[in-house]
Amino acid sequence: MVYVPIQVERLTPHVGAELHGVDLSQLLDERVFKLVHDALVEHGVIFFRDQHLTPEQQKAFGRLFGELHLHPAAPGLVEGHPEILVIHADEHSKRVAGEEWHSDVSCDPEPPMGSILYMHELPPVGGDTLFASMYAAYEALSDPLKRLLEGMTAMHEGEHVYRGRYGVKDEGRVFPKAEHPVIRTHPVSGRRALFVNRGFTTRIVQLKRPESDALLQFLFRHVETPEFHCRFRWQERSVAFWDNRGVQHHAMWDYFPQRRHGHRVTVKGDRPFYRA
Ligand code: SIN
């Protein structure tokens, strides 16, 4: 068998790597799958250039990592592919998906493990996506604050994020909410990661409201620390695959009124836990 050399080029010390020599339209053999899987767990987000994927091929790639997730609020816009979330912005957009630092659908009791975004169309400049390592964010905290947070849980809610968001009737609809540990243990790497985000996390359960608000504001600002980040400059047909268990991301909407369009496939995850 002839092995195509696969190169892993790290973007920053904490997060992100570009993988060269992988064709995601082919069903990956065991060796390549393991390499991609391990790179995702190690780097938190991995990038691929010049991919040519049909919706079926993108979904088949996602299914190698688990069952596909159906978004709790967004309408399926690609006929026959309810698992594809369309990421779109143009001159009519009032907002775009993922403008706040967040981990995808963390309001689900079992939030997605990963998300695979395939970009079809880009503005002439701008529209990058930023990623932040939640391992680095956790590790940078002082020991007393780590110990305090390790005993805590927080509410993550979809209501304020999704209600009215997609221009579809949603009266009477109940959006997910869930209580998760503030520090989670990654089920594969065993590393600890900060797991609160500005998009979905509304309060720390064990604290009084003003205490919770102050601590969450501090943690949301902490996530914004540039040394935890990498920034991905998309090209048409790039793919980003991020691990929602260990990174957050932020879509930069600096290109209005230009168009940006892509398809996201999201892989189901399991219930976050903390292991001492
Ligand atoms: C998202 O999935 O949150 C959107 C990311 C992006 O558009 O870059």
Side-chain angles (χ1 to χ4, degrees):
M1 184 180 292
V2 179
Y3 280 160
V4 180
I6 294 169
Q7 285 164 4
V8 180
E9 184 188 350
R10 295 172 71 181
L11 265 68
T12 72
H14 290 305
V15 66
E18 194 165 324
L19 268 62
H20 305 274
V22 185
D23 178 355
L24 301 181
S25 69
Q26 305 299 312
L27 268 189
L28 310 186
D29 65 29
E30 220 172 289
R31 176 191 73 97
V32 179
F33 168 75
K34 182 168 167 18
L35 205 143
V36 171
H37 171 271
D38 293 356
L40 177 71
V41 171
E42 182 172 350
H43 301 291
V45 57
I46 50 179
F47 306 106
F48 307 85
R49 301 284 188 189
D50 300 322
Q51 301 294 321
H52 290 79
L53 295 177
T54 62
E56 286 83 3
Q57 287 167 331
Q58 188 178 355
K59 291 196 313 189
F61 175 61
R63 283 198 181 104
L64 295 175
F65 295 83
E67 260 181 77
L68 300 186
H69 173 269
L70 288 179
H71 197 278
L77 294 178
V78 182
E79 209 179 320
H81 300 286
E83 309 90 341
I84 291 191
L85 176 72
V86 172
I87 300 290
H88 179 88
D90 61 25
E91 71 275 22
H92 304 295
S93 301
K94 302 268 183 291
R95 53 206 302 188
V96 302
E99 276 180 87
E100 301 255 43
W101 281 104
H102 68 289
S103 172
D104 288 323
V105 200
S106 69
C107 54
D108 264 0
E110 296 185 343
M113 66 76 81
S115 306
I116 301 161
L117 179 56
Y118 177 43
M119 201 54 81
H120 299 194
E121 194 179 339
L122 283 164
V125 64
D128 296 352
T129 307
L130 281 69
F131 296 88
S133 166
M134 292 303 102
Y135 297 140
Y138 166 76
E139 283 157 16
L141 297 170
S142 66
D143 287 341
L145 189 50
K146 282 182 188 152
R147 280 196 292 276
L148 179 75
L149 295 175
E150 280 163 6
M152 290 180 165
T153 55
M155 291 308 302
H156 295 238
E157 303 190 43
E159 172 69 30
H160 64 284
V161 180
Y162 296 136
R163 174 123 2 241
R165 175 74 174 261
Y166 291 99
V168 291
K169 280 193 163 193
D170 58 15
E171 297 96 70
R173 195 144 173 204
V174 179
F175 295 103
K177 67 175 167 185
E179 184 173 340
H180 296 309
V182 170
I183 306 298
R184 76 181 289 185
T185 304
H186 192 288
V188 182
S189 70
R191 293 177 70 187
R192 290 175 198 165
L194 180 63
F195 196 64
V196 292
N197 67 80
R198 202 186 277 286
F200 292 101
T201 312
T202 50
R203 71 188 165 89
I204 296 180
V205 173
Q206 293 76 14
L207 298 183
K208 294 186 173 167
R209 172 60 79 176
E211 295 170 340
S212 165
D213 288 350
L215 188 49
L216 282 178
Q217 279 312 313
F218 164 75
L219 293 171
F220 297 157
R221 294 293 302 273
H222 182 63
V223 167
E224 293 165 6
T225 305
E227 75 186 65
F228 308 152
H229 299 173
C230 73
R231 179 173 179 138
F232 185 57
R233 177 160 290 189
W234 295 91
Q235 294 164 356
E236 275 174 31
R237 309 200 166 277
S238 298
V239 171
F241 184 1
W242 57 89
D243 182 343
N244 285 299
R245 302 164 299 185
V247 300
Q248 291 187 28
H249 58 287
H250 170 95
M252 183 63 73
W253 192 26
D254 53 0
Y255 51 89
F256 181 85
Q258 305 291 336
R259 284 168 64 88
R260 182 176 181 269
H261 186 91
H263 285 175
R264 193 181 94 190
V265 161
T266 310
V267 182
K268 283 186 182 177
D270 38 29
R271 201 168 183 77
F273 62 91
Y274 169 72
R275 193 167 47 221

